[in-house]
Amino acid sequence: MSAKLRAIAVDDLSEDQARDELADLAGEIATHDKAYHQYDAPVITDADYDLLRRRNDAVEARFPELVREDSPTQRVGAAPAGGFAKIAHKVPMLSLGNVFSEEELADFIAGIRRYLRELSTDPSIAIEMVAEPKIDGLSVSLRYEAGKFISGATRGDGAVGEDITANLKTIKEVPQKLTGKVPDVLEVRGEVYLPKSEFRLLNERQAAAAEKIFANPRNAAAGSLRQLDPAITAKRPLRLFAYAWGEVSERTAETQWDFLQRLKGWGFPVNERIRVCSSLEDLMAAYRDLGSARASLDYDIDGMVYKVNRLDWQDRLGFVSRAPRWAIAHKFPAERVETILKDIGIQVGRTGVLTPFAILEPVTVGGVVVSRATLHNEDEVARKDFRIGDTVVVQRAGDVIPQVVEVLIERRPVDAEPFKMPESCPVCGSPAVRHEGEVARRCTNTLTCPAQAVERIIHFASRGCFDIEGLGEKTVESFYADGLIKTPADIFRLADHADALRRREGWGEKSVQNLLVGIEARRTIPFERFLNALGIPQVGEATAKLLARHYLTFPALRAAMEAARIVGSEAYQDLNDINGIGESMADDIVGFFSETHNAHQLDDLEGLLTIEPYVRPAAVESPVAGKTVVFTGTLETVSRNEAKARAEALGAKVAGSVSKKTDYLVIGADAGSKAKKAAELGVATLTEDEWLKLIGEG
Ligand code: IVH
């Protein structure tokens, strides 16, 4: 009956019908909330859920007197998205880089050697590393003050997690009070997991009670920990392994190994299979031993983690983007499963690239059902000779997206034909061309291909960019189709079409209001987010930040890009010199700004938005903050990379070549032409010692 009612436009509902439908919606939405929050097993997509909520809002907006007590709009207390309060991590919870082979591991260690100069010059110094099992559970951060458990959070996005203190309190292995002498503030990080034996028992109980069956122990642990009712968590025998720290008021160890021993002393469970290794061979032996023991362990592991043992070295090595330079995960080989390649689809991205993807007979790999997988590009399809109807091998390693790795030729149907990439865009029909030297075939219609335009707008409104609530993929697609949004700037003109929005199926006054408020809230935007949103080829979040940090304001960047169009100009050199920007990137960036169509769109956006200048992260108090520094020649005490990272941490800009804007040129042994150029330009030069004194480390 509800489906029938839902087909009626809100404006045409009678009062009785509205009353019935609100009752239906209240029940239905509550069921989905429960499935999502309590069982971690949503049965409908987020988009469909949103449709239900919007329909409910729209009906209520027309019949305010019919709003029920149990209406989803009347529920207070529960946060709409997560259901838990948020906790900001004082020290971010980062992830780990991966290696999958001995060669990759050797490269990783060589990188550490290069970075710590004393190791590169003296190969006899061993790098001790602690090898720890990589537990496949959920990472948590536990905060203790004066030895008492205060609060606990999930990892979330690494910066902000969910407050699951009440649930963590039900886990016996999470100590409530620590023993011995403990730092005043101590955040311990570790993995909550459900033992395999308990996982099997839990699923038996769930089956008997006709409740949800969990796919694997990790999902079961997640489902158990993210319960809004801690009484349910308490019934699940979750356990803990502690292995790292967040905020600490006082250092109590000099090595990773000592720290793990401290953790044990304070009362935390620490995995028994940890080892100190001092060579690649040792690490590989530890890895193989763990691999052989894997099946017999009562907890899931997905590899090993190696961490530099000396904490002073960990500090110096620091982080690259979101992963430490001093630790790496060595994953076990991915699970592989056979299935049928039913079809090859083509996706058109925001830069017009045509990407082939596999449409598969659904299979479970590594605990999830896979029905689509990327095929990367035209060459990959040709090289592996994927044909529709083939039996293929699909693999999924940890959280990596599924891949089709191989074709079983002997099982190929006789009539299977080689796949040919379309020569026209499957969306707009324009020629799709592959230029020499490029791996990608692109739709040539950059200006009006709907797929490109829609993908660009989706990207523009997405989380790392304008982050406009209520403007997800489906909404952008339908607004585009109806001509409400044709370019990113149109988003900021939507308010002029409020009436048209209100007339849309499933959109009521309230949802229109919410969307428009969400849009207004983003009319002012930080420079780096704006840049990321533009979808300049090769420019993602990290590069956008580099550009913002260098040029500080959007008008300054535009002017510089205008000047950089001249080959060999100082402006071009300046862009190319930014640490992390190479020639091909520089060309793409300059190319983007020089295109007339883009220039019009940028003018349009600048007229509608306030683009905030880049704000330097909490001004570092240092004599080199804001200065531009160039290093040249071989340094004695630190590697070039460590010197650069240190300078950047102190707020300096590190450039690759000397110009008028250079404040200091630091000269090591065998310096070349840069010293000469500095002398010509009157740039201050420093020896390595002078540099160290300047930054207070000499
Ligand atoms: S250390 C900055 N040690 O793996 C480094 N992580 O892929 C912090 N994990 O988010 C992580 N066992 O949830 C570390 N012995 C171990 C681990 C471990 C499992 C998880 C952790 C982390 C993820 C990274």
Side-chain angles (χ1 to χ4, degrees), residues 92-98 131-140 155 189-192 218 241-245 256 260 271 274 300-307 314 319 322-329 331 399:
M93 289 183 81
L94 300 159
S95 52
L96 291 168
N98 290 324
E132 304 175 10
K134 186 169 186 303
I135 315 298
D136 195 8
L138 273 119
S139 47
V140 293
R155 177 167 181 271
R189 279 152 187 195
E191 208 81 357
V192 168
R218 187 179 185 284
F241 279 126
Y243 51 67
W245 65 92
Q256 176 73 21
L260 292 172
N271 194 286
I274 48 173
D300 269 342
I301 52 177
D302 54 353
M304 206 151 212
V305 183
Y306 309 125
K307 303 175 182 173
Q314 288 193 4
F319 297 84
R322 302 177 56 75
R325 275 198 199 86
W326 47 265
I328 196 88
K331 292 281 188 78
D399 38 15

Side-chain angles (χ1 to χ4, degrees), residues 1-8 13-28 52 55 68:
M1 144 171 116
S2 55
K4 247 195 215 150
L5 281 176
R6 219 146 291 162
I8 305 173
L13 283 175
S14 71
E15 192 169 325
D16 283 344
Q17 285 172 326
R19 188 176 295 110
D20 286 349
E21 193 179 6
L22 287 176
D24 281 347
L25 282 164
E28 219 173 304
L52 291 180
R55 174 82 183 177
R68 302 165 57 91

Side-chain angles (χ1 to χ4, degrees), residues 262-273:
R262 283 283 136 78
L263 282 178
K264 261 203 246 174
W266 290 327
F268 292 96
V270 171
N271 194 286
E272 285 298 320
R273 291 175 177 272

